Every structure is written in C-alpha cells, then in structure tokens.
C-alpha cells in the first residue's frame, strides 16, 4: 500500500474523578516513522473497507444549522503554512474536548490526526480511538496485562480529502465519515466539532441511479436477457469503483454501457428528474438490488437472483403470493424431514 505520512500526532482526552474532561496535548509530532506508517496504513485500510460511509463538507455558519468554522479555519491555516501541524492539532484537541463536554456519555479517548498522501491525493485522517486491555506472554512465560489502541473497532473517524477541498470549492463530499449502525451517525458531536455538514448521500444517489437504470431498460426495446445484462453491468462497474476507493462517474458508466450496445444512457440519466451528481460515492447494499431481490418480515426471509423472476420465481401481486419452482436442495431436505416427522 503506497502511503506516505507527512505528520501524525496523538492527544489524550480523559475524564477526572469529578467527571470533568481535560485534554493532554502532545508537544511534538509522533517520531517513530515505521510505527506511524504502520498504524496509519492499517487505519487507512480499515477505514476504506467500512461500508455505508457518509459524505459532507465544511458548513458555513447558518448553512444547514450553526456550523462551527474553528476547525476549518485552523486546518486552512495549516495547509497555507500560516501555522504548524502541532498548533493546528492542539486547536482540534481543544475543540473536541469542548464538544465532548456538552454530553455526559463520553469518557474521552485518544485523538489521532494524520496527514498523509495516498496515490495522488492528500488526506487528513481524524479518529477518536479507545484503549483496550490485553494480555501478553513475556520471555519468562509470565503473563503481563497492558493496553493497546483498539483499531479494529473504528467508530469515530473521518477523512478529509485535502486535494479535493482545495481544488473544488463547490464540492459537497470531500469529507467522509463512519456512520453508525442502522444507517445513523455514531455521534453527531464528532461531525459538530469539525463543523462538517452532510452533503452527498450515497444511498440516495444509488437509489436514483437504480431508478434511472430501470426506467432506461423499460423504455428500450431490449430483450429480457439484455435488460438483466444492463443491470448487472451497472452493478459490476459500481462495485469495481467502490472496491478501488473511487466514485461512480456517470459519464464513464454510460460509456461502459455503450460498449455493450446500450447507447444514450448518459443523456437519459442526466436529462431526467433523477438529480444524479456527475460523480458520487455509491452504496453497494442499495445497488445489490439490481441483481437480487430480498426481503424479511413476519418470520420469513427470501432472496433470489433477478434472473429467476418470471421463470423459477413467479410473483402474483393480485393474490400477494410467490411461487418457487425448483426448491433449493438443502431447503427441500429440511422440509421433507419436517413433513415426515409430522
């Protein structure tokens, strides 16, 4: 993995016996080059693999609420060379402490800030990490208890694409952040301390893309097989982009379809009411519906490939029933054994 770390630092935010939070600032950047490269590379990989991330930008006071510009101003001062990385990080640490102090659920953690280059882009990684107890065996076979940073359980983290922020002022997606379970942000305070406002919604954009694809094939003279091929090609392209950490490019996607004989998708998708961005991060779980149908409810779960609809799987909306031809062997075995038992 080609990562070059420019600067990295860790500050500690802890709670005293009276429940007050304080920020212990490190006076200089982390010095152990190999250890720093290793931890940033691991965090980059863990973060990139996180599904369902949100995307946003630095808000202006009064834009979608009262966004605090202090973090943005300090970061701009650092990128313009008006202040050092340590000074910028100290401002960030104090801002996070102040934001955390508004709530009674936090016990703090370790604030890691790292500026690094990956491929052709510069990034600032921001994460609040927790420490986790662990056991190790010493040379004399004695057990020793210590603590280590819990990198695997990365929940409060954001990554700012500094290159995009500086070159595209109108972008609304240069900040990405980890979302919590069930599609919610783990904690709004983490975005509030950075003054981040949510911008492009990957799930909403993916739903609009799916609708554009369905309308496109419905209005074409494609055969059933060609329609499914179109859906699968869209899914494959988007998956390739997501796996490489890239965004979906509407024009490139249209060119991919044109190579398969499916012309004019770009004009169709960009000229309709789909409100699709030219470039946007996609949501794989949403786009998977191009290939599969699935649903759960009332104790029943059902999933099948889209190619089976109308053939092995017959849906009757009038009677609200689904007929499955060719029951999967393992399910058939379970059903046969139950029937014999009854």
């Amino acid at each position: 993995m080609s990562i070059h770390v420019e600067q990295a630092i860790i500050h500690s935010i802890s709670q005293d016996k009276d429940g007050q939070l304080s920020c212990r600032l490190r006076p200089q950047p982390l010095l152990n080059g190999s250890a720093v490269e290793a931890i940033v590379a691991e965090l980059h990989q863990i973060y990139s693999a996180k599904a369902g991330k949100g995307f946003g930008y630095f808000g202006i006071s009064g834009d979608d609420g009262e966004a605090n510009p202090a973090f943005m101003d300090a970061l701009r001062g650092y990128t313009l060379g008006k202040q050092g990385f340590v000074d910028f990080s100290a401002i960030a640490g104090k801002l996070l402490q102040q934001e955390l102090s508004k709530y009674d659920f936090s016990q703090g953690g370790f604030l890691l800030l790292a500026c690094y280059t990956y491929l052709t882009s510069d990034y600032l990684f921001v994460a609040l990490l927790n420490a986790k107890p662990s056991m190790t065996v010493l040379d004399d076979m004695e057990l020793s208890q210590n603590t280590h940073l819990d990198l695997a359980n990365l929940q409060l983290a954001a990554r700012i694409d500094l290159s995009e922020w500086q070159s595209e002022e109108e972008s609304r997606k240069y900040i990405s952040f980890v979302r919590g379970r069930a599609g919610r942000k783990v904690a709004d305070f983490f975005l509030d301390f950075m003054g981040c406002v949510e911008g492009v919604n990957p799930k909403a954009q993916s739903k609009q893309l799916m609708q554009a694809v369905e309308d496109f094939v419905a209005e074409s003279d494609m055969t059933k097989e060609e329609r499914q091929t179109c859906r699968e090609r869209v899914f494959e392209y988007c998956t390739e982009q997501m796996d490489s950490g890239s965004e979906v490019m509407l024009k490139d996607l249209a060119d991919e379809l044109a190579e398969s004989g499916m012309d004019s998708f770009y004009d169709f998708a960009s000229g309709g009411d789909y409100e699709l961005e030219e470039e946007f991060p996609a949501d794989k779980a949403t786009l998977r519906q191009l290939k599969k149908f699935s649903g759960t409810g009332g104790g029943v779960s059902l999933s099948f490939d889209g190619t089976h609809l109308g053939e092995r799987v017959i849906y009757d909306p009038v009677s609200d029933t689904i007929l499955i031809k060719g029951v999967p062997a393992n399910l058939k075995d379970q059903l046969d054994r139950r029937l014999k038992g009854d």
Side-chain angles (χ1 to χ4, degrees), residues 11-171:
H11 300 308
S12 173
I13 299 177
S14 57
Q15 190 178 61
D16 62 23
K17 60 182 180 180
D18 298 323
Q20 298 297 313
L21 289 175
S22 63
C23 184
R24 179 186 171 196
L25 299 174
R26 179 180 168 86
Q28 59 185 347
L30 295 171
L31 302 177
N32 189 334
S34 59
V36 172
E37 293 275 351
I39 191 173
V40 174
E42 184 173 355
L43 284 170
H44 175 86
Q45 188 172 15
I46 293 171
Y47 182 84
S48 298
K50 287 278 186 180
K53 287 190 287 286
F55 291 80
Y57 59 102
F58 288 126
I60 301 172
S61 184
D63 180 16
D64 292 335
E66 292 296 321
N68 186 351
F71 183 95
M72 177 189 67
D73 291 341
L75 179 58
R76 192 183 300 279
Y78 165 65
T79 58
L80 293 176
K82 295 181 179 180
Q83 68 179 349
F85 179 75
V86 173
D87 294 333
F88 154 66
S89 72
I91 294 173
K94 288 295 186 180
L95 286 171
L96 181 56
Q97 175 205 332
Q98 293 167 11
E99 193 64 37
L100 283 170
S101 297
K102 299 176 183 178
Y103 306 89
D104 58 5
F105 57 78
S106 177
Q107 296 180 345
F110 294 95
L111 174 63
L112 170 70
L113 297 109
C115 277
Y116 67 94
T117 301
Y118 176 65
L119 298 178
T120 59
S121 294
D122 297 325
Y123 295 99
L124 172 69
F125 189 80
V126 186
L128 184 62
L129 304 172
N130 292 318
K132 181 179 180 180
S134 63
M135 300 292 291
T136 187
V137 180
L138 302 177
D139 291 340
D140 59 359
M141 298 304 167
E142 279 289 345
L143 291 176
S144 174
Q145 186 172 14
N146 53 26
T147 58
H148 70 273
L149 292 175
D150 189 6
L151 304 185
N153 188 30
L154 187 65
Q155 295 298 324
L156 292 170
R159 185 169 64 192
I160 303 168
D161 188 328
L162 299 176
S163 299
E164 183 174 344
W165 176 45
Q166 293 168 330
S167 63
E168 301 180 35
E169 293 184 359
E170 300 302 316
S171 174

